[in-house]
Amino acid sequence: KQEVTQIPAALSVPEGENLVLNCSFTDSAIYNLQWFRQDPGKGLTSLLLIQSSQREQTSGRLNASLDKSSGRSTLYIAASQPGDSATYLCAVGGTSYGKLTFGQGTILTVHP
Amino acid sequence: ETGVTQSPTHLIKTRGQQVTLRCSSQSGHNTVSWYQQALGQGPQFIFQYYREEENGRGNFPPRFSGLQFPNYSSELNVNALELDDSALYLCASSGDRGSWTEAFFGQGTRLTVV
């Protein structure tokens, strides 16, 4: 059974800092890994999708890496802004049908 | 913003009642998945529908059921509501049934059972 863990559970940083969010998973037989952002009470916004054959993906100030063999992914956010404050979720797709297994998320607060 | 829309956005039901939640998938997508997200938790997979048939199911009881229509929109039905069913229900659409495709989520339906 796939289990996904995110560390830290919460993070508070001053504006402008570079930061790293961590995600680990127990079963390395995955198709892909997605990072999502969730604002309070809202749905999920896809940030980055990394296929199992890829090592990283970049979008603007965001960079996600994947080390499938060690069961780890990191989301790097450069030059953080207050608007980045949200919950960040990672999810792995590892079955023949489209089930995503999610971590519990990291609550990020960026203060001015 | 994705093309996945859910309705209603909020609703309140009484324990024992039945509820139907609706999801309109993104154009061109034939697969819809439903997730339940309790407060402070990550989403949990309920089931997936691919071309009008259930294609996979998580650890949820049979009182959670679904439908997918020829236009690929979908419904989630929950019978005999319990207090623990209070959660944010998320719908995701994708272009194929496999985990290798990207999932796009709607804004969710907040269900409160009293």
Side-chain angles (χ1 to χ4, degrees):
Chain A
K1 177 188 171 187
Q2 180 73 269
E3 293 183 1
V4 180
T5 303
Q6 292 187 245
I7 294 173
L11 184 62
S12 181
V13 300
E15 182 177 5
E17 273 205 6
N18 302 323
L19 53 98
V20 174
L21 308 182
N22 297 291
C23 172
S24 62
F25 47 95
T26 55
D27 186 350
S28 61
I30 65 169
Y31 286 110
N32 58 34
L33 184 145
Q34 268 186 271
W35 282 94
F36 294 91
R37 169 188 172 135
Q38 185 174 34
D39 293 297
K42 303 296 185 182
L44 307 183
T45 300
S46 180
L47 298 174
L48 291 164
L49 169 70
I50 312 175
Q51 300 292 354
S52 61
S53 59
Q54 298 175 316
R55 297 284 291 182
E56 66 178 323
Q57 282 284 349
T58 298
S59 176
R61 295 183 293 109
L62 305 180
N63 175 275
S65 67
L66 174 64
D67 185 343
K68 200 173 78 162
S69 60
S70 67
R72 296 183 181 188
S73 176
T74 60
L75 178 66
Y76 175 83
I77 302 177
S80 58
Q81 303 170 357
D84 295 331
S85 298
T87 297
Y88 290 80
L89 293 154
C90 74
V92 297
T95 60
S96 59
Y97 58 92
K99 170 186 175 181
L100 293 175
T101 302
F102 284 84
Q104 292 199 326
T106 293
I107 302 171
L108 173 65
T109 304
V110 181
H111 47 89
Chain B
E1 189 172 311
T2 72
V4 182
T5 57
Q6 294 186 241
S7 62
T9 54
H10 298 83
L11 76 165
I12 300 174
K13 289 287 189 177
T14 302
R15 189 173 50 183
Q17 284 188 315
Q18 179 267 343
V19 68
T20 297
L21 310 182
R22 294 178 175 83
C23 172
S24 183
S25 59
Q26 189 161 309
S27 177
H29 286 182
N30 57 22
T31 303
V32 172
S33 301
W34 286 91
Y35 292 81
Q36 179 195 67
Q37 186 178 23
L39 202 60
Q41 303 294 316
Q44 298 290 317
F45 177 76
I46 303 175
F47 44 56
Q48 179 190 71
Y49 278 82
Y50 170 71
R51 294 187 174 181
E52 303 178 58
E53 293 196 0
E54 188 178 292
N55 188 51
R57 188 177 185 92
N59 189 27
F60 280 81
R63 61 188 183 85
F64 286 78
S65 63
L67 281 173
Q68 188 179 31
F69 301 99
N71 66 355
Y72 303 134
S73 66
S74 177
E75 288 182 353
L76 165 65
N77 299 290
V78 187
N79 294 322
L81 284 167
E82 301 177 359
L83 297 179
D84 285 348
D85 296 333
S86 296
L88 181 68
Y89 288 85
L90 295 163
C91 162
S93 79
S94 54
D96 197 358
R97 56 184 166 177
S99 294
W100 48 85
T101 57
E102 188 171 6
F104 296 90
F105 283 78
Q107 290 300 296
T109 294
R110 170 70 63 187
L111 172 65
T112 302
V113 182
V114 297

